[in-house]
Structures are given as structure tokens and as C-alpha cells.
Amino acid sequence: MHSRVYLAVLLLLVVAACKKDPVTPPDGLIVQPVVKAVYVLNEGDFSDPTGARLTVYDVEKDTVYRDVYEAANNGSHLGNVGDDMKFYNGKAYIVMSGSRNLIVMNLSTHRKELEVSFPGSAVHDLLIDSVRSRLYVTRLFSSSVYVLNLSSLALIDSILVGANPQGMALSGNKVFICNSGYGSDSTVTVVDATTLRAVATIRVADGPTGAAVASDGKVWVVCTGNAFAPSPTKGKIFVVDPTTLTKTDSIRFTENLWGSIVMSQDGYAYVLGTTSGSFFGGPVHRISVSSKTVALNFITGTYYGLGYDDVAREIYVSDVREFSGNGDVKIYTNAGALRRTFSAQKGPAVFGFKR
């Protein structure tokens, strides 16, 4: 075969392989147990009381399962607006802001083990403190954070913070809580994880929404900026020393940021920018933790959810397709090459990795 023809055919085969959808059995059908899997929490439609759904991608079988929770729980649903999901000790902690509830699900059977409701509280983000066996839950419209017993979900305390608290991070014995204010607040509340008392307030920039801990223990805080302020502001990232509670570095952007941030063990932070004219996210930017060098548009597109698989060293992003139907999940290699695309459910937003 002529070398150019052979190269063209090979390229077509590679592209086709990247775009091929994994096997998808009928909704809810899943073979137990799934050993290595990626869980996708789908927000669902705001008007659908049962819209929050769970999609599972079996990595070893290259198979996607939908409505996994319903299949394992006799048709029961998670609730409305799935906002966050964290894994610990073989369990998934899943919170819904619309239905104001928190469910603990067994990751082997997908059966519900515990559930607690929060009437009047739009619970939004989760943080697990395994050392002290505590679970932090932000209350979006109540300027406070609940602290629960990790095993029983019994309420331990409620801590007053800033406006519209969202993302959190734990470094050492301090919890950093982002007071987003939907762009109008600009502070991070620091809580002593031992005493459960606020010990400091750090002023950053408009809309602190996401936080993550780098390999050196420093806390990175993503500020979205405020596009609707009289004097609009753009996105920023601040690096905070958890010992001195001082800002040691900052990174400025010429656009607003979406608010998500994930860290990889190989020394990078990933954040989402914003796409002009869209209300559903933006491209992926990659930042070197050591040099603070920014690779803008490392992955182009408009993405709503962001995750990083440290075992496979792969980047996960979700395209919600403006909530017009089921959204897509795309898997990129550490070098930024598209490896796989699969269809999730409506509003894929949060990733959890079972390894």
C-alpha cells in the first residue's frame, strides 16, 4: 500500500477509535461488582424531582451503565439536582441541593445505607475529614456549614461562614471554605478542624468557589470573578499557606473561571474557563504547581464538569449540551489527546474514581 494512503487509513482508524462509544447495556443493568469504575453524578433537570442520576463507566469492560442507583434500590431515586459526591471507605456520599438530602451508598452493591434530609437548607458541597470522622456540608443560602458524624450522619455542629459557601479543602487541621457569594463575596473562612471554630478570614477575589490541596500542602483557591458587577472582574487563583494563612502567590486570567479545580499527583492543577456566550462552562486550562506556568486552552471546548484520574493519569470532562438531553463525558490523556467519549445522563457534573 502506498505510504500516504496507508497513513491516511491509519489516521481514520485512530480517529474512529477515539470517538467510538463504549458498550451500553439497558439502563440499570449492571454486573456486580464493578472493580475499577468512574462514577458520574448527573445533576438532572431542575424541574425534575427525580432528575439526579448515577452513571457508571466500567473501565475494565469499557461499558457504561445508567440509572445504577435505581436498579439497586427497587426504583428509588437519589433526588433533585445532584451537586457533589465523595468516596470514602467503600461508600459514596452524594448530596442533592434541590431535594435537600444526603445519601450514603455502598460502592459494591450500590444499595443505600443511610439518608438524611436538611429541610430548608440547599446543601451543596461535601468534604470528608477521615482523621476526625467528620463530614462537612455547605449550606448554599444559609451562610453556614454543617458538620456531621461520618458514620451516622448525626449533626455535630453548624459553623457560620460567608455568603453562599461552596467548595472546601482540608490541609492539616484546617478547613478552608470558599464563600462564593455568587461573585459578590471574596473571602475564605478558615475553620480549626479540631475545635470546629472559625479562626481566620482570608480575603481573595470575587467569587471564590473551588479549592484544592497541592502536593506541598498549600491550598489553591479558584475565584470566578464577577461578570455582572458594575465594574466586572475576571478570574484569579490564589495560593494559600495553611500554616501562616497568608497568600503566597496568585495567577490572573483574562476571562472568568467556572470555579472547578482538580489537582494531579504529577504536579498540575486543572481549572475550567468560560466560553463566550455560554452559561455552561468552558475550556480546560492546565497550571504547573511548581512554576505557576499556565497552558491556556489545554483542552478546547465548553465543559461543565472536571475530574482527574490519578491512576490512569487521565482528564475527565463533561459536556451538558445545554441540558437539552443526555450529556457527554470525554476522557483525555495526560497529554491532552481525546481517548474516549461516552453518553452519560442529563447534566453530568461530578466524577468519582473507584480503583
Side-chain angles (χ1 to χ4, degrees):
M1 184 180 292
H2 194 281
S3 60
R4 290 185 180 180
V5 175
Y6 176 79
L7 181 61
V9 171
L10 181 61
L11 182 60
L12 285 172
L13 289 173
V14 170
V15 172
C18 288
K19 294 185 177 180
K20 182 181 177 183
D21 208 36
V23 175
T24 305
D27 289 354
L29 179 63
I30 188 165
V31 178
Q32 300 292 348
V34 178
V35 179
K36 296 181 180 180
V38 179
Y39 288 70
V40 184
L41 177 61
N42 305 273
E43 279 189 7
D45 196 307
F46 283 84
S47 62
D48 183 354
T50 65
R53 302 298 174 94
L54 199 60
T55 302
V56 175
Y57 171 49
D58 187 323
V59 175
E60 294 183 321
K61 297 178 180 177
D62 194 27
T63 303
V64 177
Y65 304 97
R66 303 191 184 102
D67 285 337
V68 169
Y69 183 82
E70 285 76 6
N73 291 276
N74 301 315
S76 296
H77 301 286
L78 290 168
N80 175 241
V81 188
D83 274 304
D84 202 6
M85 173 175 61
K86 294 291 190 294
F87 292 174
Y88 175 69
N89 199 25
K91 304 178 193 302
Y93 294 77
I94 308 171
V95 68
M96 276 62 60
S97 63
S99 49
R100 292 161 164 75
N101 65 313
L102 168 65
I103 285 176
V104 181
M105 182 190 76
N106 187 295
L107 280 171
S108 293
T109 65
H110 300 136
R111 296 280 297 171
K112 180 177 74 175
E113 294 192 352
L114 286 173
E115 180 174 6
V116 62
S117 296
F118 306 93
S121 295
V123 286
H124 195 273
D125 281 76
L126 300 172
L127 173 70
I128 291 176
D129 179 357
S130 60
V131 174
R132 286 158 281 265
S133 192
R134 291 169 178 169
L135 178 68
Y136 291 77
V137 187
T138 56
R139 303 172 67 201
L140 192 57
F141 303 117
S142 303
S143 300
S144 64
V145 175
Y146 277 145
V147 185
L148 310 178
N149 179 283
L150 187 57
S151 299
S152 67
L153 301 186
L155 180 64
I156 297 173
D157 208 341
S158 180
I159 306 168
L160 289 176
V161 294
N164 306 112
Q166 293 192 49
M168 297 175 283
L170 173 66
S171 183
N173 69 335
K174 294 185 179 70
V175 179
F176 295 79
I177 301 165
C178 296
N179 304 312
S180 73
Y182 283 132
S184 63
D185 203 331
S186 58
T187 62
V188 174
T189 299
V190 183
V191 171
D192 186 307
T194 303
T195 64
L196 297 180
R197 296 294 175 262
V199 295
T201 300
I202 303 171
R203 188 163 296 281
V204 282
D206 290 341
T209 304
V213 181
S215 57
D216 60 2
K218 290 183 179 178
V219 179
W220 286 46
V221 177
V222 176
C223 300
T224 62
N226 190 343
F228 304 101
S231 299
T233 55
K234 303 300 183 180
K236 293 181 181 179
I237 293 176
F238 288 88
V239 181
V240 177
D241 186 314
T243 302
T244 63
L245 302 183
T246 57
K247 295 170 287 187
T248 62
D249 214 332
S250 64
I251 304 166
R252 297 173 180 268
F253 292 80
T254 59
E255 63 181 314
N256 292 106
L257 297 179
W258 189 241
S260 303
I261 179 169
V262 294
M263 289 285 180
S264 68
Q265 292 180 0
D266 58 353
Y268 291 99
Y270 295 87
V271 298
L272 291 177
T274 51
T275 299
S276 179
S278 174
F279 295 99
F280 301 101
V284 179
H285 306 317
R286 186 169 81 167
I287 308 108
S288 167
V289 171
S290 58
S291 68
K292 309 303 183 295
T293 303
V294 180
L296 290 172
N297 301 309
F298 182 71
I299 298 174
T300 59
T302 301
Y303 302 113
Y304 190 81
L306 173 66
Y308 190 85
D309 181 354
D310 265 313
V311 174
R313 298 183 65 194
E314 292 181 325
I315 305 155
Y316 280 70
V317 291
S318 66
D319 180 356
V320 295
R321 296 184 172 272
E322 299 186 350
F323 286 84
S324 60
N326 286 344
D328 289 334
V329 171
K330 295 184 178 182
I331 308 172
Y332 285 85
T333 68
N334 202 43
L338 179 63
R339 186 183 71 78
R340 171 68 76 206
T341 299
F342 65 84
S343 178
Q345 291 173 261
K346 182 171 283 190
V350 182
F351 299 102
F353 301 94
K354 179 183 178 183
R355 289 290 184 261

